[in-house]
């Protein structure tokens, strides 16, 4: 069995590719709606902006980067797969 070696930022890059692909696959199979993706974007943004009240502590810079990436991914999925926006 081949040994997998992880280098500093490589593991996060691999994780990001897997998670992005998973979200797209779930949306493509209609297991996630566009509204679900929008809710997820909001939850990530809330964690980034309300860091002091976050029950699951994380790095402030990482949370901000995650919020930015989730927004970008949400826009991509919305444009690619369409669907209805959530009701406000």
């Amino acid at each position: 069995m081949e040994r997998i070696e992880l280098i500093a930022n490589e593991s996060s890059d691999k994780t990001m590719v897997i998670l992005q692909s998973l979200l797209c696959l779930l949306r493509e199979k209609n297991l996630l709606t566009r509204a679900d993706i929008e809710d997820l974007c909001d939850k990530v943004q809330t964690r980034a902006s309300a860091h002091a009240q976050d029950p699951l502590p994380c790095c402030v810079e990482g949370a901000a980067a995650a919020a930015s990436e989730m927004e970008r991914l949400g826009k991509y999925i919305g444009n690619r797969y369409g669907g209805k926006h959530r009701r406000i």
Side-chain angles (χ1 to χ4, degrees):
M1 186 171 177
E2 196 174 322
R3 183 169 185 224
I4 298 173
E5 293 189 32
L6 300 177
I7 301 171
N9 288 332
E10 253 186 51
S11 65
S12 64
D13 291 343
K14 290 175 185 176
T15 302
M16 185 62 68
V17 169
I18 292 168
L19 291 175
Q20 288 171 339
S21 300
L22 179 61
L23 286 172
C24 288
L25 179 66
L26 291 173
R27 178 63 191 108
E28 185 177 311
K29 296 202 176 274
N30 289 321
L31 296 172
L32 283 178
T33 65
R34 186 173 190 168
D36 293 332
I37 300 293
E38 290 172 354
D39 287 341
L40 181 57
C41 287
D42 285 348
K43 287 183 184 204
V44 173
Q45 182 62 41
T46 299
R47 284 194 68 189
S49 62
H51 185 68
Q53 291 82 21
D54 190 357
L56 302 168
C58 59
C59 171
V60 176
E61 294 82 16
S68 174
E69 180 63 22
M70 192 61 223
E71 182 181 344
R72 189 178 70 80
L73 184 58
K75 286 179 184 176
Y76 169 78
I77 289 174
N79 290 335
R80 168 91 181 185
Y81 303 106
K84 294 180 182 176
H85 293 281
R86 67 176 169 211
R87 293 182 181 166
I88 297 177

